[in-house]
């Protein structure tokens, strides 16, 4: 796994067909592909030095294509009532997010939105999973970088680009019914929790979105999809935006009455 040839082997494993003739072969293929994605994720965190810098864009494009292919297969699997390989899609998202830090891909949020989501709108939950992974991989203690200043610059980009993520989450909430589309609801909440926990989002941006009242609406009925994740989001909001910090006043004023109403 730590050798340079593993990059090529894993890429070929991910390119192989995920629908062999027998169910046992299909399971074995899924396991091989997950192992390949797991290996690439680990290598994107610590072994990028094995590759020439000018090859990183092609590696990125290959990972994105694998992500689209396997995420699309998961969507079809759900429609056909057959098992979907969600762990594989998640691990590919983590690999892309780790590589984005390594190559200082500062336009990753816009590029993924335009090149993946706009052309494959059915992959909304998968793209939200990818967006959730982006700050988490930038905050990983396994990340090995040759220049620490690049990491700080990348984190600044995330802070300045948080409006894009909030806008995508808003669009997902407004275009779906949370009662029937639990997958999208959970993807939005997971993405939101990750960004609130890791990225220092301007509290005014959160205050102005429809996401704040939406999260509290999910807490009214514990049978709603995403109830536990909504609780986690509110906990992160209260932890990351304390009332004694300047600039948080407006957001706190929006949270307190909604939180108090939950006990009525």
């Amino acid at each position: 796994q730590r050798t340079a040839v593993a990059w090529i082997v894993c890429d070929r494993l991910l390119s192989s067909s995920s629908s062999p003739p027998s169910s046992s072969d299909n399971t074995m293929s899924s396991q091989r592909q997950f192992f390949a994605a797991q290996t690439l994720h680990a290598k994107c965190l610590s072994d990028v030095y094995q590759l020439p810098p000018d090859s990183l864009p092609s590696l990125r494009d290959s990972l994105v294509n694998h992500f689209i292919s396997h995420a699309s297969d998961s969507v079809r699997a759900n429609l056909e009532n057959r098992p979907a390989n969600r762990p594989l899609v998640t691990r590919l998202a983590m690999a892309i997010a780790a590589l984005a830090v390594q190559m200082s891909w500062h336009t990753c949020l816009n590029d993924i939105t335009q090149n993946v989501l706009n052309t494959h709108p059915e992959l909304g939950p998968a793209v939200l999973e990818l967006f959730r992974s982006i700050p988490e991989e930038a905050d990983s203690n396994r990340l090995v970088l040759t220049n620490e200043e690049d990491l700080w610059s990348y984190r600044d980009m995330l802070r300045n680009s948080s409006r894009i993520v909030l806008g995508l989450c808003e669009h997902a909430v407004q275009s779906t019914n949370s009662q029937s589309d639990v997958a999208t609801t959970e993807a939005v909440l997971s993405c939101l929790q990750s960004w609130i926990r890791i990225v220092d989002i301007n509290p005014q941006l959160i205050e102005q979105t429809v996401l704040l009242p939406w999260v509290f609406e999910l807490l009214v009925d514990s049978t709603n999809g995403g109830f536990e994740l909504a609780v986690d989001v509110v906990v992160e909001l209260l932890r990351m935006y304390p009332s004694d910090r300047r600039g948080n006043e407006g957001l706190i004023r929006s949270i307190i009455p909604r939180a108090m109403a939950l006990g009525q």
Side-chain angles (χ1 to χ4, degrees):
Q1 285 181 285
R2 299 304 301 269
T3 64
V5 73
W7 294 102
I8 299 173
V9 174
C10 291
D11 181 71
R12 290 178 178 173
L13 284 172
L14 289 167
S15 299
S16 63
S17 172
S18 59
S19 301
S22 71
S23 59
S24 59
D25 286 344
N26 190 25
T27 300
M28 185 65 70
S29 175
S30 296
Q31 292 174 348
R32 284 196 297 264
Q33 289 177 335
F34 178 80
F35 180 73
Q38 187 179 47
T39 299
L40 286 177
H41 173 224
K43 295 184 78 64
C44 285
L45 284 168
S46 59
D47 292 346
V48 172
Y49 68 90
Q50 295 175 336
L51 301 172
D54 59 1
S55 71
L56 296 184
S58 61
L59 171 62
R60 175 194 62 197
D61 294 345
S62 177
L63 282 173
V64 171
N65 287 334
H66 290 315
F67 175 79
I68 293 173
S69 174
H70 291 287
S72 298
D73 182 68
S74 289
V75 171
R76 289 192 297 269
N78 287 328
L79 294 175
E80 297 168 4
N81 293 319
R82 56 184 175 87
N85 198 348
R86 287 187 60 185
L88 171 60
V89 177
T90 298
R91 190 62 64 166
L92 285 170
M94 295 166 69
I96 294 169
L99 182 63
V101 187
Q102 294 283 10
M103 61 186 299
S104 297
W105 185 14
H106 284 204
T107 60
C108 60
L109 297 170
N110 274 322
D111 291 347
I112 292 169
T113 300
Q114 294 176 6
N115 300 329
V116 179
L117 191 58
N118 287 352
T119 54
H120 302 275
E122 72 279 4
L123 301 185
V127 170
L128 286 166
E129 177 78 13
L130 174 51
F131 279 16
R132 178 191 66 82
S133 299
I134 286 174
E136 293 182 355
E137 295 303 312
D139 195 52
S140 173
N141 56 14
R142 297 171 56 199
L143 193 64
V144 178
L145 291 168
T146 56
N147 188 346
E148 289 292 329
E149 292 183 1
D150 291 342
L151 177 59
W152 294 112
S153 174
Y154 187 83
R155 288 175 175 172
D156 285 340
M157 178 277 295
L158 294 181
R159 189 176 303 109
N160 296 330
S161 303
S162 54
R163 189 187 299 272
I164 298 173
V165 177
L166 293 176
L168 177 62
C169 290
E170 277 190 313
H171 176 74
V173 167
Q174 293 171 330
S175 59
T176 59
N177 184 339
S178 61
Q179 297 291 333
S180 59
D181 194 349
V182 177
T184 298
T185 296
E186 293 181 346
V188 170
L189 291 169
S190 295
C191 181
L192 196 57
Q193 181 193 12
S194 176
W195 279 75
I196 290 171
R197 178 171 57 87
I198 298 171
V199 182
D200 187 18
I201 302 176
N202 186 325
Q204 293 181 349
L205 293 179
I206 301 175
E207 179 189 355
Q208 294 166 0
T209 69
V210 301
L211 297 171
L212 189 62
W214 173 74
V215 169
F216 278 94
E217 286 172 7
L218 293 175
L219 296 178
V220 174
D221 184 357
S222 60
T223 62
N224 280 337
F227 175 81
E228 293 183 1
L229 284 172
V231 173
D232 293 339
V233 170
V234 172
V235 170
E236 288 298 336
L237 281 171
L238 295 172
R239 186 175 71 87
M240 297 303 299
Y241 297 94
S243 58
D244 59 351
R245 185 184 300 170
R246 290 189 63 182
N248 292 345
E249 299 87 353
L251 179 57
I252 294 300
R253 281 195 297 267
S254 297
I255 291 176
I256 287 177
R258 292 185 169 95
M260 297 298 290
L262 294 174
Q264 297 178 1

